[in-house]
Amino acid sequence: MAENLSRLDANQLQTALATAIAAEDYVLAAAIRDRMETLAASDEVQRRAGPVVLSGCDAVIQSETGSGKTAAFLVPALSRLVYPPEVYPEDMYGPQLLVLVPTFELGTQVALLVYKMFGGNISSQRPGDPANMFTYFGPRAIK
């Protein structure tokens, strides 16, 4: 059960916590408590970062791994994009949004999250299908 905690929402975690305590499985209860704390931190990070990013100000977001930092800046930043662009993408002088990351791995994580947010599907559920962001047929000019 502990390995599946990341798939549960807050209500399901509450139920699982009560069940674990009733069964006196305190190791599982501690794991559930830790997951609930991570979810609470995620909400806090996103709640505090959203208005700053939406206002157009620069933001530095620092929090622990898994706390929702990527979504905290991407959701408001993507909501500020103009789509479809007022000019043809070929006539644009630069990007509408630029995300700088310190590592290749983080860049991949951000790119895949944006890809999924714009309707991309990492797994097409068809064996052998090379579904990835390079074969994506989504909104025009999203790169």
Side-chain angles (χ1 to χ4, degrees), residues 4-5 29 31 33 56 65 67 70 78 92 104 116 133-134:
N4 294 326
L5 293 179
R33 178 206 60 214
T65 300
S67 63
T70 304
L78 291 173
M92 295 179 79
F104 176 81
K116 287 191 268 183
M133 64 184 173
F134 303 107

Side-chain angles (χ1 to χ4, degrees), residues 24-101:
E24 296 183 4
D25 186 348
Y26 299 114
V27 173
L28 179 58
I32 294 169
R33 178 206 60 214
D34 293 344
R35 177 64 184 144
M36 291 172 72
E37 287 175 355
T38 301
L39 281 178
S42 173
D43 293 344
E44 179 68 13
V45 166
Q46 293 171 10
R47 183 185 63 76
R48 292 181 65 196
V52 175
V53 176
L54 279 173
S55 72
C57 294
D58 292 339
V60 175
I61 303 170
Q62 179 179 349
S63 187
E64 65 185 54
T65 300
S67 63
K69 295 180 296 292
T70 304
F73 79 82
L74 271 180
V75 171
L78 291 173
S79 71
R80 291 178 53 94
L81 294 180
V82 176
Y83 190 83
E86 295 171 359
V87 298
Y88 287 105
E90 297 81 21
D91 297 334
M92 295 179 79
Y93 293 110
Q96 291 189 53
L97 174 66
L98 177 65
V99 178
L100 298 175
V101 294

